[in-house]
Amino acid sequence: MIDFHALAEKFETPLYVYDFDYMASQFEALKEAFRGRKSLLAYAVKANSNLSVVRHFAKMGSGADCVSIGEVRRALMCGVPKYRIIFSGVGKRDEEIVEAIDADILYINVESEAELMRVETIAASKNKVARISVRVNPNIDPQTHPYISTGLHANKFGVDLESAKRMYIRAKNAPSLEPVGIHFHIGSQLTQLSPIRESAEIVADLVRSLAALKIELKFFDIGGGLGVRYKEEQTIAPYEYAQAILSTLTGLDMTVVCEPGRFLTANAGYFLTKVLYEKRNGDKRFVVVDGAMNDLIRPSLYNAYHHVNALGKTGEASAADIVGPVCESGDFLAKSYPLPMMAHNDLLVLESAGAYGFGMGSNYNTRGRSAEVALERGEARLIRRRESYEEIIANEKEFLEL
Ligand SMILES: *Cc1c(COP(=O)(O)O)cnc(C)c1O
């Protein structure tokens, strides 16, 4: 049992709390599922990029899947070895490509023919060889929320099979490129196995046809996307997941690379917020809290559900919208949520807040971002200070003309 009251007292609210032991057990469960096969788990840093979180996974032998050079720097800083770092993302600036090549990471995931040409040109100008993989868009509907679906041609991610083939042929013939991997990532919060299996089959077939052209790839990168339970979702067991992938790889000797984000961190996280007051507009009941969409945007952005625990409160529950102070009607943490009568300073704990929570935060309404706390073996420690007003205005202050 986590003593949320004590944490709220000590670190104040709004506050993110992460159970590091839970993160470790999720990591081990997935690692175990791929046991006996060559595999690399590369934590998707964007899910929760706090340095202490990245370091926690690095210590367990994790790699890092990064979607900006900033994330690559975080991974290196936290001790992830360069040969376990992957740089993905649909758009990369030249400076980012230069730095990734200089850092000698495992490979750059390329998402378009135009990008392949940039990487080729940049590597050639430096007299270096860039290791690459191509992100294939298998045009499979992942059956998840449209905002987190990435594996359809209607999404901006990856390239179709024909383009991928052309890109590999080009890469093979380019002295400054070395194709080493193939990648797909069809979406996030996946709860159905069949789209994953179908995608893996399509991509594995492409690997075989490339092998016939003497293009031998080492890394079969299946992206992330494993769903978690927020409410009542059916989830995919790591073992079933691994078996589905491995079953498509018969006859291929490849290292499976998996890039889990949400699976490792979502249910390790709690968002703590205090009640400011109750209010009614006509028949409608609102519970106004000190946390807001700038702290946790998932409800506003995806209509995401987070289980809310009104700690220690009893009494008859009735539906309330839990809303923050931000000046947007879209600023809510829950809609029509059954809650007992709440009073000033009561604590609400939103569960499953460890992925895409803090990292999507902003300073909207000049609100400092929350503090973050790690729980490990019964000990709580601060891993990020609450952002101050001075920090928010730091980059503007010098330009103020009075
Ligand atoms: C976001 C992302 C991931 C992680 O997705 P989860 O759903 O959090 O597991 C993995 N790989 C790539 C390329 C991504 O963009």
Side-chain angles (χ1 to χ4, degrees):
M1 274 301 283
I2 303 174
D3 188 347
F4 289 112
H5 283 293
L7 292 170
E9 185 71 29
K10 179 163 182 194
F11 300 103
E12 302 184 333
T13 57
L15 181 71
Y16 276 97
V17 174
Y18 308 125
D19 181 343
F20 272 33
D21 301 325
Y22 180 86
M23 288 181 187
S25 66
Q26 290 293 93
F27 185 87
E28 292 307 331
L30 201 50
K31 191 80 205 164
E32 177 67 24
F34 285 100
R35 205 164 67 125
R37 296 292 296 243
K38 284 184 287 182
S39 68
L40 169 64
L41 293 193
Y43 170 55
V45 172
K46 73 176 185 287
N48 186 326
S49 53
N50 184 289
L51 293 174
S52 299
V53 171
V54 179
R55 175 79 186 133
H56 186 47
F57 289 118
K59 283 197 286 193
M60 289 183 266
S62 182
D65 176 56
C66 305
V67 291
S68 70
I69 207 68
E71 287 190 355
V72 172
R73 289 186 191 174
R74 278 183 190 262
L76 288 168
M77 183 175 189
C78 295
V80 179
K82 61 184 185 182
Y83 54 84
R84 290 192 190 134
I85 295 177
I86 299 157
F87 184 17
S88 308
V90 80
K92 303 178 186 75
R93 293 157 47 86
D94 284 0
E95 299 84 66
E96 292 185 295
I97 296 170
V98 166
E99 195 173 325
I101 293 172
D102 285 341
D104 197 26
I105 61 171
L106 182 59
Y107 52 84
I108 299 175
N109 246 329
V110 173
E111 299 215 17
S112 61
E113 303 199 62
E115 184 180 29
L116 186 73
M117 293 206 265
R118 285 312 305 155
V119 176
E120 180 182 340
T121 305
I122 291 168
S125 74
K126 302 172 74 68
N127 257 324
K128 289 199 172 168
V129 177
R131 282 179 298 276
I132 59 114
S133 75
V134 174
R135 177 164 176 176
V136 177
N137 182 323
N139 201 28
I140 294 285
D141 184 353
Q143 296 160 32
T144 184
H145 188 285
Y147 283 17
I148 49 177
S149 158
T150 57
L152 284 167
H153 287 167
N155 304 125
K156 67 180 176 181
F157 298 95
V159 298
D160 60 53
L161 295 168
E162 277 312 303
S163 310
K165 206 163 182 174
R166 271 201 308 277
M167 288 164 69
Y168 278 112
I169 292 167
R170 181 182 181 109
K172 182 184 159 60
N173 294 323
S176 64
L177 295 175
E178 183 189 2
V180 296
I182 194 158
H183 176 240
F184 66 96
H185 171 76
I186 58 171
S188 196
Q189 183 56 10
L190 306 178
T191 55
Q192 309 281 329
L193 196 49
S194 51
I196 302 175
R197 187 188 294 114
E198 271 177 69
S199 304
E201 269 161 10
I202 291 170
V203 176
D205 283 344
L206 178 57
V207 170
R208 291 188 188 93
S209 66
L210 292 170
L213 301 172
K214 293 271 170 296
I215 299 169
E216 313 270 357
L217 302 176
K218 294 192 201 97
F219 300 98
F220 192 78
D221 184 342
I222 60 176
L226 260 192
V228 300
R229 182 164 297 171
Y230 287 97
K231 196 176 186 182
E232 282 148 354
E233 297 91 338
Q234 285 290 328
T235 54
I236 301 166
Y239 180 79
E240 310 292 330
Y241 178 59
Q243 288 308 308
I245 299 290
L246 295 172
S247 71
T248 67
L249 293 180
T250 40
L252 294 174
D253 179 30
M254 297 178 84
T255 298
V256 176
V257 180
C258 180
E259 305 166 346
R262 189 188 310 271
F263 177 82
L264 299 181
T265 61
N267 281 329
Y270 301 87
F271 180 65
L272 278 54
T273 183
K274 270 192 173 158
V275 173
L276 299 175
Y277 4 81
E278 286 258 357
K279 109 173 230 185
R280 278 186 183 278
N281 281 344
D283 286 341
K284 184 91 188 167
R285 177 183 170 212
F286 296 96
V287 173
V288 185
V289 297
D290 65 359
M293 67 187 289
N294 77 294
D295 302 299
L296 177 61
I297 202 174
R298 298 188 67 259
S300 309
L301 189 60
Y302 315 123
N303 217 4
Y305 174 91
H306 289 272
H307 187 75
V308 182
N309 198 344
L311 279 186
K313 297 297 281 190
T314 51
E316 200 170 326
S318 70
D321 284 8
I322 304 172
V323 300
V326 164
C327 301
E328 297 283 340
S329 290
D331 176 32
F332 58 88
L333 298 174
K335 288 259 190 193
S336 297
Y337 202 95
L339 282 181
M341 261 327 262
M342 302 298 291
H344 186 63
N345 279 341
D346 280 346
L347 187 61
L348 292 179
V349 177
L350 277 76
E351 298 180 357
S352 314
Y356 307 106
F358 180 90
M360 284 192 176
S362 74
N363 291 128
Y364 189 41
N365 282 206
T366 307
R367 289 169 52 87
R369 281 173 292 178
S370 316
E372 295 175 286
V373 166
L375 289 178
E376 197 169 8
R377 285 177 244 109
E379 298 288 330
R381 65 176 195 273
L382 192 64
I383 57 173
R384 193 183 209 274
R385 273 189 290 111
R386 185 174 303 285
E387 202 172 18
S388 69
Y389 171 69
E390 280 303 322
E391 287 166 325
I392 298 175
I393 62 163
N395 293 341
E396 303 161 34
K397 215 168 52 174
E398 63 189 289
F399 304 108
L400 180 65
E401 289 172 31
L402 289 175

